[in-house]
Amino acid sequence: MANGDPMGTTRRNVLRAGAALGVLLLVRPAGATPAAMADAIEAFTKGAPVNPGKVELVLPALVENGNSVPLGVNVAHWMQPGDFVRTIAVFNEKNPQPNVATFHLTPRSGRASVSTRIRLGDSQKIVAIAQLSDGSFWSDEAEVIVTLPACAES
């Protein structure tokens, strides 16, 4: 206003805005950590104990390209009314978000088996947890080595 500009823009304000934009562009988004994965698992199970077993996580141990990694989860459990796998969730510890996917199943799903492809930003541990209709949780985990992480070319 002092220089007659009705918008109040000054050279100093423009330089501040440019510096702030530069800082925002340099800051990378935070990735998940093992603690963030543990928090996500705790939120999913609501503090219930997670038992090892019944779940088979099918994932290659060595991945050349992290952009499209095949992942399968099989749960050895009945899929009958009143006794079935309700939910399958997959977690990771180094991607931007610790929750990879959540699959909701019903007895009409037929088999407790899901498959998909995921992106991996680095070598890390993957955890699959299945919730049964009786409220119990079962899990399996695998370590994956990624030689070319996803988004490494950017």
Side-chain angles (χ1 to χ4, degrees):
M1 295 256 209
N3 61 2
D5 183 8
M7 298 291 291
T9 55
T10 62
R11 181 178 172 187
R12 182 171 293 185
N13 288 340
V14 171
L15 290 174
R16 283 183 186 156
L21 180 62
V23 168
L24 287 175
L25 292 176
L26 290 176
V27 175
R28 300 185 65 187
T33 62
M37 183 177 76
D39 291 344
I41 290 172
E42 179 80 18
F44 175 69
T45 62
K46 296 179 177 50
V50 179
N51 308 307
K54 288 195 177 191
V55 177
E56 177 191 17
L57 181 58
V58 181
L59 192 67
L62 177 63
V63 176
E64 186 173 329
N65 187 342
N67 282 314
S68 181
V69 179
L71 176 138
V73 180
N74 302 315
V75 183
H77 193 77
W78 297 105
M79 291 298 282
Q80 298 176 347
D83 189 18
F84 60 96
V85 177
R86 184 182 306 272
T87 309
I88 297 173
V90 179
F91 301 93
N92 72 78
E93 61 183 7
K94 291 187 180 175
N95 276 8
Q97 296 293 323
N99 298 59
V100 174
T102 303
F103 303 93
H104 299 281
L105 306 174
T106 68
R108 298 180 77 183
S109 300
R111 294 184 318 171
S113 178
V114 297
S115 64
T116 186
R117 291 186 174 267
I118 62 172
R119 297 180 76 175
L120 293 176
D122 203 352
S123 298
Q124 57 188 295
K125 180 170 69 175
I126 306 295
V127 177
I129 298 177
Q131 178 187 22
L132 304 185
S133 59
D134 65 359
S136 65
F137 291 90
W138 299 85
S139 72
D140 190 18
E141 61 186 47
E143 292 283 339
V144 180
I145 298 171
V146 179
T147 55
L148 179 60
C151 305
E153 62 272 0
S154 60

